[in-house]
Amino acid sequence: MGLTSRSLMYTVAFAAVLCVALMVWIWPRLSGRGPLPVFGRLGAILLTQLSIMAAVLLVVNSSVGFFGTWNQLLGRVDKAPVNVTQMNSGTGPRASVSETKDGLIQPTGGEKVEKFAGYPKGPEDKVGAVRSVRVIGKRTLAVNSAYVYLPPEYFQKQYERAHFPVMVVVSGYPGGRVSLARNLQVPLNAARLLEEKKMAPTVIVMISPTIAQPRDTECVDVPDGPQAETFLTKDLPDALRSTYRVGQDATGWGIMGYSTGGTCALQLAMRAPDVYPVAASLSGDLSVKNDIATGDLFGGGEKGKQRKREHDLMWRLRNLPTPPVSLLLATSRKGEKNFHDTEEFLRLANEKKLRTATIVLPEGSHQFSTWRREIGPVMEWMSKELTFPQDTEGGKKPGEEKKQEEKKQEEKKQEDAGKAGGKDAEVKADDKAGAGNADDGKADGDAAPRGQGDDRPGDEEGERD
């Protein structure tokens, strides 16, 4: 029986009830004095407590998915690299610092990621930097803490006027930016991929999906409540563009996340493809539902029902036009509850010509040991989907000024060489013309055309080069 199977839960629950009944039945028989009755009573209590705890833990694990299989529970975790499989090319477009105290991005003390194990120390232009900030929503008036990773290139002179692509990474609930930096190791993966030339220099924002702690807002604009979707699709991009050198065009922006963050990433891309045309989900769901942590996200009446339908991605694919986005979904055949739903979504996405890719592990679970295997390949995939922004301060690409200056110098040298060649040709032509005049008048008519012809090729050669 699988660790998350209902048959196992029912069996253990039945065993717990049976243990309680047996303890009630045999307790009078263990009421005597002496070591044997005492050990008997202790054993009965221990067995009953263990059976009840096992039943409760199985129910909780099945609901949340901390451990998907027995191997996960016992620590026998596969750490082999994973691969991204491109499912469908679709028809959509292929998207081949100065924080201010009073601005939309404000520096905070916060927990410094440099304290986390494994984080390199050194000059910013060599190892990059992670800023601890709070993001202020000018529309929603919400405040959300975040880490902003700036790659080493951000601080290098040849990139000083460049704008960078952006990856927004959303945590699960009730996680947050610390979970992304310490447990998922997003900055460390970015640094490794940059060193291996598998990712373009990218600004990465690590943030929580909720803007109204402790409520789980699921990145939804709640009627008469927190406007989480507006914050992530409008306030956050505006704040980042006002503070950092990041791309203005959406083709340089992507969003990803794990668990609730993965659900948010898919939702926001499908609902706002003009903001996030690329998204990736690690163990995310394909629909948003109300629960104890979320409260009522959609409101009542027909409008509430419609809002709920619109946050069901299967419904959107069946009933609305296919958005021009590229999606990656990561799941596991064993241990993940969303596997079959993901398969169905990918099948429908293929019919609707939606660009998709997938990571399917043979065995996994709803925890960081699985997501750490997936995050590197997902970041590499997303980097390939995003375009490096062409917009720069002054309208030039990174390093273009140097190239243009070198080109001008080269053209000047060639132009000087062309002029020198033209003068030499003219001198030779004059010499020949003089010789023609000395011989006879007939040669004089041949000299000028020959000199002009010798002069023109010299100018043309300079222009071609």
Side-chain angles (χ1 to χ4, degrees):
M1 289 184 287
L3 183 61
T4 59
S5 66
R6 292 194 174 187
S7 56
L8 179 63
M9 282 193 296
Y10 293 151
T11 301
V12 174
F14 176 77
V17 173
L18 184 61
C19 286
V20 172
L22 286 174
M23 189 180 72
V24 172
W25 181 64
I26 66 171
W27 192 260
R29 302 170 182 267
L30 302 174
S31 59
R33 296 183 177 180
L36 192 59
V38 171
F39 282 118
R41 291 195 294 271
L42 290 175
I45 294 172
L46 182 62
L47 184 61
T48 303
Q49 293 296 322
L50 287 176
S51 63
I52 294 173
M53 286 179 61
V56 171
L57 291 175
L58 279 173
V59 172
V60 172
N61 183 66
S62 178
S63 174
V64 180
F66 292 118
F67 301 97
T69 65
W70 291 107
N71 285 333
Q72 292 280 334
L73 179 64
L74 298 175
R76 295 196 290 265
V77 180
D78 185 4
K79 296 182 180 180
V82 301
N83 296 314
V84 176
T85 302
Q86 193 71 38
M87 300 295 292
N88 178 47
S89 59
T91 57
R94 185 177 181 84
S96 286
V97 161
S98 81
E99 301 93 342
T100 56
K101 203 168 188 181
D102 302 318
L104 299 176
I105 301 284
Q106 299 179 358
T108 63
E111 186 171 2
K112 301 296 184 182
V113 298
E114 290 82 1
K115 297 179 181 178
F116 301 154
Y119 275 82
K121 295 181 175 66
E124 292 178 335
D125 61 348
K126 300 295 183 184
V127 301
V130 179
R131 307 291 200 215
S132 175
V133 301
R134 66 168 63 92
V135 182
I136 311 298
K138 64 181 181 181
R139 295 174 183 82
T140 61
L141 302 181
V143 180
N144 204 350
S145 298
Y147 285 134
V148 178
Y149 168 79
L150 303 173
E153 289 80 359
Y154 192 92
F155 305 96
Q156 295 172 5
K157 186 169 180 58
Q158 63 266 37
Y159 289 89
E160 64 183 358
R161 302 179 74 176
H163 288 68
F164 292 80
V166 179
M167 293 182 190
V168 176
V169 189
V170 187
S171 74
Y173 175 85
R177 60 180 187 167
V178 173
S179 297
L180 293 167
R182 181 173 57 194
N183 300 330
L184 201 58
Q185 300 175 342
V186 170
L188 285 180
N189 277 282
R192 175 181 59 80
L193 290 170
L194 283 172
E195 186 178 354
E196 296 173 356
K197 309 297 183 185
K198 293 181 178 179
M199 189 178 87
T202 303
V203 172
I204 303 175
V205 183
M206 292 156 274
I207 200 163
S208 167
T210 182
I211 60 171
Q213 293 282 7
R215 184 178 184 179
D216 179 11
T217 50
E218 292 280 330
C219 303
V220 170
D221 279 351
V222 181
D224 300 321
Q227 304 293 288
E229 181 176 345
T230 297
F231 178 86
L232 289 167
T233 58
K234 295 181 180 179
D235 286 345
L236 178 62
D238 283 353
L240 293 172
R241 289 186 175 112
S242 72
T243 306
Y244 301 102
R245 301 195 313 273
V246 295
Q248 299 295 319
D249 192 83
T251 57
W253 286 67
I255 186 168
M256 69 175 78
Y258 70 87
S259 189
T260 299
T263 304
C264 288
L266 296 179
Q267 291 282 335
L268 296 179
M270 294 282 282
R271 292 173 61 82
D274 57 327
V275 180
Y276 300 114
V278 182
S281 168
L282 283 62
S283 305
D285 293 326
L286 298 172
S287 63
V288 176
K289 300 181 177 67
N290 293 328
D291 58 30
I292 296 176
T294 65
D296 185 3
L297 295 173
F298 309 110
E302 286 302 317
K303 288 186 177 180
K305 293 178 182 178
Q306 181 62 20
R307 291 190 193 99
K308 187 173 183 179
R309 282 192 292 267
E310 290 175 356
H311 282 83
D312 183 331
L313 300 189
M314 294 294 289
W315 183 91
R316 293 188 72 89
L317 266 185
R318 292 191 181 102
N319 297 277
L320 299 177
T322 302
V325 295
S326 179
L327 307 179
L328 184 149
L329 290 82
T331 186
S332 305
R333 293 185 182 277
K334 291 176 61 178
E336 284 281 13
K337 295 193 302 179
N338 70 343
F339 174 69
H340 295 294
D341 289 342
T342 300
E343 273 195 326
E344 178 63 18
F345 179 83
L346 292 172
R347 182 195 63 77
L348 184 58
N350 187 56
E351 292 179 6
K352 298 291 185 176
K353 307 300 182 185
L354 177 68
R355 295 190 66 243
T356 53
T358 185
I359 293 175
V360 179
L361 301 181
E363 187 175 294
S365 58
H366 208 75
Q367 60 172 319
F368 286 103
S369 62
T370 297
W371 300 324
R372 277 194 293 267
R373 293 181 61 197
E374 299 167 338
I375 187 62
V378 169
M379 293 173 71
E380 181 180 351
W381 169 85
M382 182 168 286
S383 182
K384 293 176 182 177
E385 294 291 306
L386 300 177
T387 58
F388 198 101
Q390 302 303 308
D391 50 310
T392 61
E393 295 178 8
K396 293 184 175 61
K397 300 178 185 178
E400 188 175 359
E401 288 183 350
K402 185 177 179 182
K403 291 180 181 178
Q404 287 185 348
E405 184 62 30
E406 291 175 351
K407 185 177 179 182
K408 286 180 181 179
Q409 291 177 359
E410 184 65 25
E411 288 176 350
K412 190 174 185 304
K413 288 180 182 178
Q414 291 167 356
E415 184 180 352
D416 292 341
K419 288 180 180 179
K423 288 179 180 178
D424 290 342
E426 186 177 351
V427 170
K428 290 179 182 178
D430 290 342
D431 290 343
K432 289 182 180 179
N437 288 332
D439 292 339
D440 53 32
K442 188 176 181 181
D444 186 30
D446 293 336
R450 197 178 297 125
Q452 292 170 2
D454 289 342
D455 183 60
R456 280 195 301 268
D459 290 340
E460 289 173 358
E461 186 178 354
E463 290 172 3
R464 282 199 300 269
D465 291 344

